[in-house]
Amino acid sequence: MTVHNLYIFSRNGQLLFYTEWNRLNKSGMTQEEEAKLMYGMLFSIKSFVNKISPLDPKEGFLYYKTSKYTLYCFETVSGLKFVLNTDNGAQNVRELLQQIYSQVYVEFVVKNPLCQLNQPIQSELFRTKLDELIKKSPIYLNRSL
Amino acid sequence: MKHQFVDPKSSSGNKGEADECLFEYLHAEIVNYVLTTSVNTGEKEEDLSRLESMGFSVGYRIIERLTREWPRFKDELDTIKFICTDFWTSLYQKQIDNLRTNHHGTYMLQDNSFRLLASIGGNGSKQYLRESPRLLAFTCGLLRGSLANLGIPCTVDAEVAALPSCKFNVYVQRI
């Protein structure tokens, strides 16, 4: 099992943070382009899922899976989006995303008066704590790929 | 700050997080407000005296509340010890980690994980070192005001070497 990369988007679709752990394939475009593409796709999937759902969509879009990886999306009530790519065997990724939000983002970005909200996250402490959380999670098992 | 105010002895607040961070957010906004409204004199140092004087009057009032069930303090050191333990616990949910004195009116209070700095940086990160004094000015005033009301006129300054730890130096004025 492994964790590939993480995107954090603001409610307006701005990329607040990006980091990667085991990413073997580069997209071949700049990070901004990639983020726009990613956000656009998420936006479309979300509205697609909500329209096409035969029942009342409570949580809406949660994840999609390809043959190689799974993309999990966690949206907070305030509209922040946490997007994590893992391999297909990963379990309880939603919990992990929830932890990233409540234990790392809220603690070290929201509570940091020197961090501007809805601006790309600069804080080094945030990056360190995020890395710690991911690396101690059972989902992150650094296999030589 | 917290409901611990009412009873400093009953520790561990389980009233939810909101009342704990209310002070932190308000403090952060006060700092920003003071900085944006203060007259820029063109000096390099930011003008933090207003924050400090706000802290002074808050500290002066808090002491009435926190010491109402206390007997009189024996001496100066006893007072400082109260500041390091009960006072600090009521305000920042932990005690001062290290107290030093030269027995001539200078005290050094060290907090290894100061609450207002804990979310800024850690592990020797130098990123926000330059901005951190503005988060300490209020607390300096708080200490000065509290000690003033306890009958110890003093000056207080703070230094940060490595986040999130900081030192408050108390210089008691001998008359």
Side-chain angles (χ1 to χ4, degrees):
Chain A
M1 291 196 287
T2 185
V3 174
H4 298 303
N5 53 359
L6 171 83
Y7 303 80
I8 302 177
F9 292 101
S10 76
R11 66 184 306 149
N12 305 322
Q14 198 195 355
L15 181 68
L16 299 182
F17 191 77
Y18 172 78
T19 187
E20 60 185 41
W21 288 275
N22 300 308
R23 182 175 180 175
L24 298 178
N25 185 32
K26 299 283 176 244
S27 59
M29 49 182 137
T30 65
Q31 201 177 82
E32 290 124 69
E33 277 180 87
E34 187 185 295
K36 270 184 204 162
L37 213 57
M38 172 62 85
Y39 190 82
M41 182 197 67
L42 289 174
F43 191 85
S44 310
I45 292 186
K46 252 178 55 189
S47 58
F48 172 78
V49 164
N50 286 339
K51 276 183 196 136
I52 223 73
S53 167
L55 305 164
D56 176 33
K58 285 209 174 63
E59 295 209 70
F61 171 58
L62 297 176
Y63 67 91
Y64 74 68
K65 192 179 262 190
T66 72
S67 59
K68 290 284 187 195
Y69 75 101
T70 309
L71 178 143
Y72 288 86
C73 177
F74 169 72
E75 185 171 359
T76 68
V77 181
S78 57
L80 280 166
K81 284 174 199 64
F82 293 78
V83 180
L84 192 71
N85 285 317
T86 69
D87 70 322
N88 286 337
Q91 309 243 313
N92 297 332
V93 181
R94 243 185 125 59
E95 271 168 41
L96 179 69
L97 284 168
Q98 182 94 47
Q99 284 173 357
I100 292 175
Y101 173 53
S102 64
Q103 294 171 16
V104 185
Y105 181 82
V106 172
E107 289 299 319
F108 301 105
V109 176
V110 179
K111 287 195 179 174
N112 182 344
L114 306 171
C115 268
Q116 298 282 324
L117 293 182
N118 295 321
Q119 296 294 323
I121 298 164
Q122 308 289 349
S123 169
E124 287 165 14
L125 187 63
F126 171 78
R127 187 178 282 274
T128 324
K129 294 285 177 185
L130 177 69
D131 208 48
E132 276 171 23
L133 181 71
I134 295 286
K135 286 190 174 160
K136 79 171 201 292
S137 142
I139 301 167
Y140 185 91
L141 254 176
N142 204 350
R143 233 185 14 187
S144 52
L145 291 163
Chain B
M1 286 156 238
K2 291 190 63 178
H3 63 289
Q4 281 188 353
F5 252 3
V6 186
D7 181 9
K9 298 288 192 301
S10 81
S11 58
S12 85
N14 42 12
K15 266 198 174 180
E17 204 190 355
D19 49 351
E20 213 171 283
C21 54
L22 183 61
F23 165 66
E24 288 174 37
Y25 296 151
L26 184 61
H27 175 263
E29 287 308 314
I30 291 171
V31 171
N32 281 336
Y33 176 76
V34 168
L35 284 179
T36 50
T37 53
S38 70
V39 199
N40 200 340
T41 47
E43 290 167 35
K44 274 188 186 161
E45 293 263 313
E46 288 163 329
D47 180 23
L48 299 171
S49 56
R50 275 176 72 196
L51 275 174
E52 214 266 348
S53 63
M54 281 179 187
F56 180 88
S57 49
V58 172
Y60 204 91
R61 283 155 203 264
I62 278 178
I63 279 301
E64 304 290 354
R65 180 93 171 140
L66 290 181
T67 56
R68 56 182 179 174
E69 277 159 22
W70 279 72
R72 285 172 64 95
F73 294 113
K74 255 198 339 267
D75 53 10
E76 201 175 274
L77 189 62
D78 211 29
T79 316
I80 299 280
K81 277 182 186 159
F82 162 78
I83 294 286
C84 293
T85 53
D86 286 71
F87 178 83
W88 215 255
T89 314
S90 310
L91 302 175
Y92 299 114
Q93 279 81 52
K94 71 186 284 291
Q95 296 190 359
I96 283 283
D97 294 300
N98 194 350
L99 167 67
R100 288 179 188 199
T101 175
N102 64 355
H103 297 289
H104 287 94
T106 305
Y107 299 88
M108 193 273 289
L109 286 67
Q110 184 176 336
D111 191 335
N112 291 333
S113 167
F114 186 52
R115 190 166 129 207
L116 298 176
L117 295 178
S119 57
I120 308 291
N123 305 333
S125 152
K126 297 264 180 278
Q127 190 183 17
Y128 292 116
L129 214 52
R130 211 161 52 83
E131 287 88 348
S132 51
R134 61 174 84 150
L135 299 170
L136 300 173
F138 182 83
T139 306
C140 286
L142 203 64
L143 280 171
R144 192 167 68 88
S146 315
L147 289 167
N149 204 1
L150 292 167
I152 304 176
C154 57
T155 53
V156 179
D157 65 17
E159 52 184 295
V160 195
L163 294 165
S165 118
C166 67
K167 289 175 191 164
F168 295 96
N169 299 311
V170 178
Y171 309 100
V172 179
Q173 288 160 9
R174 299 271 185 238
I175 309 153

